[in-house]
């Protein structure tokens, strides 16, 4: 059940670099979304990316998982330079993500949505599926077990069979996290996973994120506007502003960085 | 009121993966099969077979196929007629060049040929989406029909360009040709239908089906999750075309017996099949059947009522039929945009909750 | 009642008591079968800021949509109860008639017109207005004043702007209608902290200077209660608690569950180990 | 039964035909009290020119003791050929359907008298020969045809004939439905063929005649098949269509005694199938003629079998022994309305006599400009034999022996 | 100039003109799509219906006469008047506006916020309904439509160009149908005014907003119902224009509704949302299919126009999935 991503990373020790981006520049027509950005993610950390609206955070994630192709700069994954790849190939390398504007499959149930997360782990072919009994069913059941674990973990048992379109916003975000987790990724990209949640739910969500990090050693890139959350749960923080990197370091360092305060935080956050 | 699901007690995931989760459903289904195989053949007459049951079964296969492509994978296609023509002509060519091959395999092979053709026409779907794709599939529709009409090889150089199905038998029973008996043709079709429906169900309940639905619901997200859009869409095109091809082959060989491509497999047929799945329910196996049944039966019914029952002139009856069918389509969409199958599901949900309203 | 930290909040909720918008015991059913609101009543006083709080799926969005008559297009219906605005029932009004009356909703999840430019988006907000181009232009400048970022991106299609920019665009669009009541659904979602403050400052400013009334659904309880005058807490389709904002802020349950403060000090997100706590009033 | 189509793309043509068919049978029932005393019944069934509905119609009506089918669509005819044969019910496809069905040795239950498409092709060429004093070597003849099985029918014959007569033949296809024919007519305008033939159907006819008028192609050199020669086809082009010719195999106008009867017994009695305004139009007459031939065949059958209440098999025999001569037509009130012909066991198509009619736009009438003349059987017969024997082999049909 | 060259020019010119005729139909589609995201399958039938109504008024036909006669055994057919073309056109415009109101009331209103395919399907139902209704009202026999649009080749042009060919060759001068010239003028006027309307007016902006997001449009106070009535009425009138132009050629009969099929490739090539795109797309398709039929057609048996138009559009789409001028399909996460 190992995917290629996992095998690539298996020889990476905690503390070593999983992914780094170097001198990334990206623009759309006249809009410069990212200018010369470099930073890295080391194995097992929670790396927050913060910055004002339109700073280029989401675009950064899109570069990492191959949806945007930067005009300049390189992405190194597990120490190797990554060639131009399609997003689905990158997914198979063990990078999963959630989206800022929820991107669940609206017509499917929670269970099916999370099952799609297992896609990179499933191998049976059409013919086997056509006749179901045998390998196809076997594989479905095995993966179902994993998914049920995730469902238990995220405490969404009761909505297992509900079409996700009917769920409230916050639960949808949770299901989306479940879908990303189901891929058992090496690197998990979270784009504002806690937007639209109240404190209690944010606490739960933080808990899930930390648990994933601790239990599976997953590396996490997190975009979030709630400074309380960011400062509490991240190990290191990158700050973007107008497509440029203006700060990088531990939460404490960033918090006291004047450029960051001016551009984003406004007042020094306690 | 006896429609009850006694809690969600499933002791294994295998049970949870079953097609019919409820016992009642399962029994109803078995009963239906028994009736279809053991009762209907004995009471069927030519009229019922030719006017209702055969077209229903055969078009249901096409509807299944289109539903896989459109309902599950989200790629709207208006080329169904053209692909059915591929199935029909493949069937004709195989029948005439390999007279000894069992008709069953001829039909399956025709499906396979169509799958290949569908694959080719599926390639643009990687770039073209939505209604743009729908309209673009008309290219297939018109081109294929033109091709079968233009190239004499396809109709074995016959003077008129029509193809007629020669007699082929299975287990000594004539399946095609003028001597085929209604019950035999019916049994042949229903066997294939049940087989294909079962396969469709299998394909859509697991990994493959989910990858289709993922592409349908949000292709970008699907790709980021690891679904290869090209492969997935092409697979959907191929599988769907297989079904449609089989349906075309049966339509020609078992049902009509003789076919002129432009007239039978024209764009009207493409639309008819599309109606079936939308009225029945996109992304629903059951819906394909309900839709096909509805659109085959209603016109026949209306006609019988108005012309034979009320004695109206045939043309006025036909016009009124148009008005009614059009009105019904709109009416159903207003009542339940997700099709008759969804209506049925909601009704069941209500029954499950009975007697509490919510 | 005011705690010193929020001394700037005008404690005027009690002063404005004549109810502008009142919702009486409504039930909402989706798709004929899913009962979502089970009798919600609330009232928004003229010139007040009323907060609607509650967890995911509590029914905040549904309540707002019920008020602005947008449920119909989601196959939902108000099956019981009544809603009135300025004493008149509004259940039968079309959404646009309601906008003409001055009630406008900012929908959750942005909902910008993707293919229109940011500026065109803002201008559609002024669709119902009949007070001339000049006034519209003035308001447009006002919105750009609030959100300079939008001015930068005015010519780009809204579909290509960032999440936060879309959120600003949606809020700005509603302001363009120069409404007298705004239903705000999670305005803070996806906005940078600075901006969140700014938005609430705008709310406050509009409220105080222009007399606009607000009903805002918000997850960010902390800030919502800082700016609101009155609050309702919704759980599973029922109002479980309501009161003056300042009272709610001091309520220990609210503190624990909505403000993230336990035993007087703010909890750290890292420390929360147990995520299976029950809300006392539900058990 | 008559399978009709009063809806769909070809309703325009289907309506008058069906009216004519029905009115004649009404007349027979009203005036004569039926065929030999037995009331005839028309089971009209709407197909909308749709093959699938055709099947439904066939199955729906065959149980009701159908004597003969008029499928009125080439597609449906093809489909009924094996079926009806198996069921023992004769099919009469008059001026359409499968040409080689003329060979009664192979197609025992299919009749296509009095003419077929290959005859038509030959008639057209014969007419051109007549006009040119018998020599058309070096002339060009273009064929504008509906790109379907139907439209392609005459190509083989015209090719064979061009070998014989030395004209140059250019087929020009028009795709269904044929609303846009610019390219085709520009091509004609460029190449200036001496004659243009047309195998068109539905809207294609109207547009073609309009376009021909637009490029000022001499109308008298433009000849359509009988399905391209109704009032509907020429009317939209107005006065410009004057002089357009079309083939036919029956009389035009309502100048026959029978129409007085129709008026008296049917229209004035309020029993007309349609609005009554179609009486005397080309397609109405054709429908009427089809019905008339059916009634005559039934009479023959009654005679042969000595029973009034004939069944389908007996009807078939009647059709196979049908003889129409001038005396009979005279007696029926349609003197000279159609060609004289007879059907026999080996020849289900008659001698293939046809005429040419021309449109007078001023008067708004068609008139016959030639006698019913035979086609070039030397060329056609081998084609028929070839095609029918191919069908026989493919379907393992034993050729019937004919005396 | 060699006749071959001139012939090619002629083919191109005629292609352009044919393209304009397609555009007339495509315009109606674009309008409705732009304003509501609905792919209106019924556009072709609307053209037919409008043309039938127009002829019906002009010749004083009694609506539903067949039905009335069948049910009551009467035989009424005509009021016995003939109306001048202008009056009949105006009356038809009124009918199309009523039609728009009815469609909105009875159908669209109930389908707010549904997926595009559902709305599409509803328009198919509508097409069926109108097809039957049109026939019931006016009968399905062919009708002659004459509102005084000139037809036939332009003699002036023919004579003017006849001398252009090189000496000694037979060249008959260039052929252009006057009907096409009229159509071109009408189309240009329509396109310019509709573009101005949708791009620069408040209502135009609202139209585009509605197409993007029904709910959001409602929430800012745009009355979907009003917008829809406006748009369907305009589309109905455009359909009438198309019906007049096409009907003049072929008579008014069922096949008129099939012109929609000729408009679809134009539509995808130009882009569903672009009014000028409908014209440019039409021109490209017109020229493309005519040249192909002229150059390649004879080699492969002709009658290629139907599919070639689609294939041509398909080729363009592969490079520009939203058509030449359509709004870009926004793909973001
Ligand atoms: N596909 C695109 N085309 C054009 N512009 C784009 C595109 N994607 C992003 N942008 C622009 O790039 C800038 C950065 O966008 P991005 O979504 O990365 O911001 P962000 O940091 O995630 O902001 P937020 O916190 O508001 O989500 C924005 O100004 C946005 O409008
Ligand atoms: N269209 C719909 N069909 C069926 N159920 C729905 C629909 N919309 C919402 N619901 C259900 O209604 C309940 C309330 O949802 P609502 O969106 O009002 O909650 P909310 O308080 O706004 O939550 P959040 O803070 O997450 O936005 C949820 O349980 C949800 O599942
Ligand atoms: Mg973002
Ligand atoms: Mg909400």
């Amino acid at each position: 059940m190992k995917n290629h991503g996992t095998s690539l990373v298996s020889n990476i020790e905690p503390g070593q670099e999983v992914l780094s981006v170097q001198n990334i520049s990206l623009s759309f027509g006249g809009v410069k979304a990212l200018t010369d950005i470099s930073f890295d993610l080391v194995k097992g950390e929670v790396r927050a990316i913060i910055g004002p609206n339109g700073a280029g955070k989401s675009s950064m994630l899109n570069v990492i998982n191959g949806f945007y192709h930067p005009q300049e700069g390189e992405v190194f994954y597990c120490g190797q330079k990554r060639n131009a790849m399609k997003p689905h190939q990158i997914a198979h390398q063990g990078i999963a993500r959630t989206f800022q504007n929820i991107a669940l499959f609206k017509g499917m149930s929670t269970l099916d949505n999370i099952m799609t997360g297992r896609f990179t782990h499933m191998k049976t072919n059409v013919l086997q599926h056509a006749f179901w009994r045998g390998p196809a069913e076997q594989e479905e059941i095995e993966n179902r077990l994993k998914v049920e674990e995730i469902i238990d973990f995220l405490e969404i048992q009761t909505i297992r069979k509900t079409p996700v379109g009917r769920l409230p916003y916050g639960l949808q975000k949770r299901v989306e996290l479940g879908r990303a987790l189901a891929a058992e990724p090496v690197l998990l990209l979270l784009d504002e996973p806690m937007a639209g949640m109240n404190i209690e739910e944010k606490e739960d969500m933080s808990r899930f994120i930390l648990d994933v990090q601790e239990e599976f050693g997953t590396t996490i890139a997190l975009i979030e506007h709630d400074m309380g959350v960011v400062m509490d749960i991240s190990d290191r923080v990158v700050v973007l502003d107008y497509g440029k990197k203006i700060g990088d370091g531990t939460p404490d360092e960033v918090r006291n960085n004047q450029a960051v305060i001016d551009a984003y935080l406004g007042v020094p956050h306690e | 009121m006896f429609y009850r699901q006694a809690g969600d007690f499933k002791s294994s995931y295998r049970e949870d993966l079953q097609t019919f989760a409820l016992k009642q459903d399962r029994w109803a289904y078995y009963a239906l099969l028994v009736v279809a195989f053991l009762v209907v053949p004995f009471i069927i007459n030519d009229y019922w077979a030719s006017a209702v049951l055969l077209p229903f079964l055969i078009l249901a296969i096409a509807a299944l196929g289109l539903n896989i492509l459109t309902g599950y994978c989200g790629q709207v296609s208006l080329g169904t007629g053209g692909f059915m023509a591929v199935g029909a002509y493949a069937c004709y060519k195989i029948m005439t060049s390999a007279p000894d091959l069992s008709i069953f395999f001829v039909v399956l092979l025709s499906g396979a040929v169509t799958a290949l053709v569908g694959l080719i026409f599926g390639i643009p779907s990687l770039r073209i989406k939505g209604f743009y794709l729908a309209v673009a599939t008309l290219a297939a529709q018109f081109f294929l029909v033109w091709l079968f009409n233009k190239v004499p090889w396809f109709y074995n150089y016959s003077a008129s360009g029509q193809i007629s199905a020669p007699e082929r038998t299975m287990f000594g029973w004539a399946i095609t040709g003028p001597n085929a008996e209604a019950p035999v043709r019916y049994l042949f079709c229903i066997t294939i239908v049940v087989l294909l429906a079962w396969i469709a169900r299998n394909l859509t309940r697991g990994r493959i089906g989910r990858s289709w639905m993922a592409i349908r619901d949000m292709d970008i997200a699907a790709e980021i999750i690891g679904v290869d859009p090209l492969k997935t869409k092409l697979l959907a095109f191929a599988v769907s075309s297989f079904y449609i091809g089989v349906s075309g082959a049966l339509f020609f060989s078992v049902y009509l017996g003789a076919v002129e491509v432009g007239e039978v497999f024209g764009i009207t047929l493409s639309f008819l099949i599309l109606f079936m799945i939308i009225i029945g329910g996109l992304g629903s196996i059951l819906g394909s059947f309900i839709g096909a049944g509805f659109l085959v039966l209603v016109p026949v019914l209306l006609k019988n009522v108005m012309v034979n029952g009320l004695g109206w002139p045939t043309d006025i009856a036909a016009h009124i039929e148009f008005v009614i069918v059009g009105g019904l389509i709109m009416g159903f969409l207003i009542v339940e945009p997700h099709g008759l199958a969804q209506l049925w599901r909601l009704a069941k949900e209500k029954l499950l909750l009975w007697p509490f309203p919510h | 009642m005011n705690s010193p930290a929020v001394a700037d909040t005008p404690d005027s909720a009690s002063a404005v008591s004549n109810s502008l918008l009142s919702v009486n015991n409504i039930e909402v059913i989706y798709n004929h079968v899913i009962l979502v609101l089970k009798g919600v009543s609330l009232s928004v006083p003229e010139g007040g800021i009323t907060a609607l709080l509650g967890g995911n799926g509590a029914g905040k969005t549904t309540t707002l949509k019920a008020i602005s008559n947008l449920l119909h297009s989601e196959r939902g219906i108000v099956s019981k109860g009544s809603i009135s605005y300025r004493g008149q029932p509004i259940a039968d009004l079309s959404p646009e008639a309601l906008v003409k009356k001055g009630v406008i909703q900012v929908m959750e999840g942005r909902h910008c017109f993707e293919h229109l430019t940011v500026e065109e988006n803002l201008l559609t907000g002024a669709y119902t207005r009949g007070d001339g181009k000049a006034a519209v232009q003035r308001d447009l400048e006002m919105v750009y004043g609030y959100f300079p970022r939008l001015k930068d991106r005015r010519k780009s299609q809204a579909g290509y702007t960032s999440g936060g920019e879309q959120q600003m665009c949606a809020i700005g669009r509603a302001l363009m209608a120069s409404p007298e009541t705004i239903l705000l659904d999670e305005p803070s979602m996806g906005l940078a902290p600075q901006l969140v403050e700014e938005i609430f400052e705008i709310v406050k400013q509009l409220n105080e200077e222009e007399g606009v009334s607000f009903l805002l659904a918000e997850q960010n309880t902390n800030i919502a209660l800082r700016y609101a005058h009155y609050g309702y807490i919704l759980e599973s389709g029922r109002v479980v608690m309501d009161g003056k904002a300042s009272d709610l802020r001091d309520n220990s349950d609210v503190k624990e569950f909505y403000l993230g403060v336990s035993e007087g000090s703010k909890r750290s997100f890292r420390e929360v180990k147990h995520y299976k706590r029950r809300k006392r009033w539900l058990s | 039964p008559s399978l009709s189509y009063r809806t769909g793309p070809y309703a325009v043509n289907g309506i008058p035909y069906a009216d004519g068919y029905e009115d004649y049978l009404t007349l027979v029932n009203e005036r004569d009290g039926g065929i030999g005393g037995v009331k005839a019944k028309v089971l009209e069934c709407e197909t909308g020119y749709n093959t699938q509905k055709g099947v439904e119609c066939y199955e729906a009506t065959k149980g009701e003791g159908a004597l003969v089918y008029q499928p009125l669509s080439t597609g449906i005819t093809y489909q009924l050929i094996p079926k009806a044969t198996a069921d023992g019910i004769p099919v009469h496809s008059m001026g359409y359907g499968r040409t080689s069905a003329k060979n009664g040795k192979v197609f025992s239950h299919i009749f296509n008298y009095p003419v077929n498409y290959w005859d038509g092709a030959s008639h057209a060429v014969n007419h051109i020969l007549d006009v040119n004093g018998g020599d058309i070597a070096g002339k060009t003849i273009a064929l504008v045809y509906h790109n379907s099985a139907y439209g392609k029918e005459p190509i083989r014959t015209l090719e064979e004939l061009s070998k014989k007569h030395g004209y140059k033949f250019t087929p020009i296809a028009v795709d269904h439905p044929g609303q846009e024919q610019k390219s085709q007519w520009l091509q004609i305008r460029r190449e200036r063929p001496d004659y243009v033939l047309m195998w068109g159907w539905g809207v294609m006819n109207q547009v073609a005649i309009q376009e021909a008028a637009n490029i000022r192609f001499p109308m008298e050199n433009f000849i359509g098949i009988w399905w391209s020669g109704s009032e509907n086809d020429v009317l939209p082009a107005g006065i410009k269509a004057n002089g357009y010719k079309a083939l036919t195999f029956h009389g035009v106008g309502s100048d026959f005694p029978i129409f007085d009867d129709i008026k008296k017994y049917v229209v004035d009695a309020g029993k007309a199938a349609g609005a009554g305004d179609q009486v005397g139009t080309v397609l109405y007459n054709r429908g009427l003629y089809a019905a008339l031939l059916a009634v005559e065949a039934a009479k023959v059958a009654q005679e042969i079998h000595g029973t009034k209440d004939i069944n389908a098999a007996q009807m078939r025999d009647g059709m196979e022994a049908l003889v129409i001569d001038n005396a009979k037509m005279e007696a029926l009130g349609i003197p000279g309305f159609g060609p004289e012909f007879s059907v026999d066991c080996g020849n289900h198509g008659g001698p293939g006599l046809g005429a040419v009619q021309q449109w007078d736009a001023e008067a708004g009438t068609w008139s016959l400009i030639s006698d019913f003349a035979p086609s070039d059987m030397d060329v056609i017969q081998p084609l028929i034999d070839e095609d029918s024997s191919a069908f026989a082999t493919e379907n393992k049909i034993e050729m019937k022996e004919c005396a | 100039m060699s006749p071959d060259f001139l012939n090619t020019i002629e083919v191109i010119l005629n292609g352009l003109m044919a393209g304009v005729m397609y555009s007339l139909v495509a315009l109606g589609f674009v309008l409705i799509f732009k304003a509501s995201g609905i792919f209106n399958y019924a556009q072709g039938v609307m053209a037919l219906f409008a043309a039938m109504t127009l002829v019906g008024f002009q010749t004083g036909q009694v609506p539903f006469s067949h039905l009335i006669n069948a049910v009551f055994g009467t035989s009424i057919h005509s009021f016995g008047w003939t109306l001048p073309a202008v009056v009949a056109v105006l009356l038809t415009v009124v009918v199309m506006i009523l039609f728009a109101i009815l469609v909105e009331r009875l159908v669209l209103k109930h389908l707010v916020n549904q997926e595009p395919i559902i709305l599409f399907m509803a328009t198919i139902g509508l097409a069926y309904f109108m097809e039957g209704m049109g026939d019931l009202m006016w009968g399905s026999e062919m009708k002659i439509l004459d509102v005084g649009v000139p037809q036939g080749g332009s003699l002036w042009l023919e004579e003017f160009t006849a001398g252009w060919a090189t000496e000694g060759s037979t060249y008959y001068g260039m052929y252009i149908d006057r009907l096409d010239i009229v159509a071109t003028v009408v189309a240009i006027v329509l396109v310019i005014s509709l573009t101005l309307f949708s791009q620069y007016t408040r209502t135009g902006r609202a139209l585009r907003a509605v197409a993007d997001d029904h709910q959001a449009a409602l929430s800012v106070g745009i009355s979907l119902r009003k917008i829809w009535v406006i748009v369907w009425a305009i589309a109905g009138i455009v359909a009438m224009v198309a019906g007049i132009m096409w009907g003049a050629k072929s008579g008014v009969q069922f096949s008129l509704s099939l012109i929609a099929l000729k408009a679809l490739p134009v539509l995808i090539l130009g882009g569903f949302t672009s009014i000028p795109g409908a014209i440019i797309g039409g021109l490209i398709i017109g020229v493309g299919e005519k040249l192909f039929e002229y150059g390649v057609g004879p080699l492969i048996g002709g009658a290629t126009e139907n599919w070639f138009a689609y294939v041509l559009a398909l080729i363009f789409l592969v490079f520009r999935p939203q058509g030449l001028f359509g709004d870009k399909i926004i793909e973001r996460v």
Side-chain angles (χ1 to χ4, degrees), chain B residues 17-158:
Chain B
L17 291 174
Q18 268 171 340
T19 305
F20 298 102
L22 296 188
K23 245 205 190 113
Q24 288 100 319
D25 281 357
R26 213 151 41 233
W27 283 111
Y29 172 73
Y30 292 143
L32 198 69
L33 279 188
V34 168
V35 171
F37 277 95
L38 299 179
V39 180
V40 175
F42 295 101
I43 54 172
I44 192 173
N45 62 16
D46 273 0
Y47 179 73
W48 271 94
S50 298
V52 178
L53 285 172
L54 285 181
F56 161 65
L57 291 173
I58 294 171
L59 293 178
I61 299 178
L64 270 179
L66 187 64
N67 218 336
I68 285 175
L69 185 64
T70 304
Y72 283 95
C73 196
Q75 315 294 305
V76 184
S77 160
L78 296 174
T80 319
F83 291 121
M84 280 178 77
V86 175
Y89 277 75
C91 180
Y92 176 67
K93 287 303 283 187
I94 299 173
M95 270 170 121
T96 48
S97 52
D100 299 327
L101 190 63
S102 160
I103 179 75
F104 183 76
F105 295 108
V106 172
V107 168
L108 291 189
L109 269 178
S110 314
V113 171
T114 318
L116 278 179
V117 177
L119 211 59
I120 295 167
F121 281 98
I123 292 171
S125 72
L126 187 66
R127 297 242 335 137
I128 307 172
K129 293 176 184 159
F131 285 120
Y132 286 96
L133 179 68
V135 175
T137 53
L138 283 175
Q141 169 72 45
F142 287 116
F143 178 73
L144 290 170
V145 166
W146 177 85
L147 189 74
F148 292 130
N149 197 11
K150 264 286 140 56
V151 182
W153 180 79
F154 287 114
Y155 45 85
N156 284 355
Y157 304 93
S158 81

Side-chain angles (χ1 to χ4, degrees), chain A residues 102 104 108-110 113 156 158-160 162-173 175, chain C residues 56-57 108:
Chain A
I102 296 175
L104 283 173
M108 297 193 235
S109 66
T110 301
N113 264 281
I156 45 180
T158 48
I159 55 163
R160 208 187 260 126
T162 320
V164 291
R166 290 185 192 172
L167 296 177
Y169 200 83
L171 273 183
Q172 293 195 15
K173 289 239 140 179
V175 175
Chain C
N56 287 143
E108 172 185 59

Side-chain angles (χ1 to χ4, degrees), chain A residues 169, chain C residues 60-61 108 185-186:
Chain A
Y169 200 83
Chain C
K60 303 182 294 296
T61 302
E108 172 185 59
D185 202 348
E186 310 223 5

Side-chain angles (χ1 to χ4, degrees), chain C residues 92-112:
Chain C
D92 296 330
L93 289 185
S94 60
E96 76 268 9
L98 212 58
V99 175
K100 288 221 180 83
K101 275 186 175 285
V103 184
I104 197 159
Q105 173 169 16
V106 177
M107 297 212 297
E108 172 185 59
R110 284 128 206 179
H111 285 281
C112 290

Side-chain angles (χ1 to χ4, degrees), chain A residues 26 28-29 31-34 51-60 62 68 100 191-192 223 225 240, chain C residues 110 149 153 156-157 159-166 168 190-192, chain E residues 331-333:
Chain A
L26 172 75
F28 302 100
V31 185
K32 283 198 138 187
L34 296 170
N53 294 116
K57 305 179 294 296
S58 300
S59 303
M60 194 63 238
N62 281 335
Y68 284 168
Q100 180 170 14
D191 197 345
E192 301 194 16
I223 297 179
H225 283 302
L240 303 182
Chain C
R110 284 128 206 179
R149 182 85 208 171
R153 312 281 284 125
S156 34
Q157 287 190 324
Y160 286 117
T161 56
S162 84
E165 288 161 352
Q166 289 181 13
M168 295 180 226
L191 292 182
Chain E
E331 296 203 318
R332 281 212 56 190
V333 279

Side-chain angles (χ1 to χ4, degrees), chain D residues 6-12 15 145 147 172-177 179-184 186-187 189-190 192 202-204 206-207 210-211 213-216 231-233 235-237 240 275 277-278, chain E residues 7 10-11 14 17-18 22 77 135 140-142 144 151-153 155 158 172-175 177 180 246 248-251 253-256 258-259 262 289-290 293-294 298 301-307:
Chain D
R6 292 164 180 273
T7 58
Y10 303 115
V12 167
I15 295 169
Y145 67 97
N147 190 24
I172 301 175
V174 173
D175 223 342
H176 176 86
Q179 235 134 13
E180 205 358 85
Q181 300 178 25
K182 274 245 160 61
S183 318
Q184 287 79 10
L186 281 178
Q187 189 184 345
R189 187 167 177 276
R190 252 190 330 267
R192 303 259 146 173
V203 73
M204 174 185 161
Q206 290 104 51
V207 173
Q210 180 73 257
E211 292 283 1
N214 284 352
I215 66 162
R216 283 175 290 134
E231 287 79 1
N232 288 328
D233 301 328
L235 279 174
K240 291 178 291 184
D277 52 354
Q278 301 287 341
Chain E
N7 281 337
E10 185 185 58
V11 169
N14 273 283
M17 300 281 169
Y22 303 155
H77 295 289
D135 281 350
S140 51
E141 63 274 359
M142 192 182 67
I144 314 292
Q151 283 202 56
L155 288 182
E158 212 170 303
Y172 306 99
M174 211 163 269
Y175 171 82
D177 194 340
D180 288 350
W246 283 94
K249 248 191 197 183
S250 59
Q253 53 179 316
F254 172 82
S255 301
L256 194 59
L258 300 179
I259 49 173
K262 298 248 64 165
E289 66 173 28
K290 294 289 175 292
E293 179 79 23
Y294 172 60
T304 55
E305 282 165 325
N306 271 358
W307 62 264

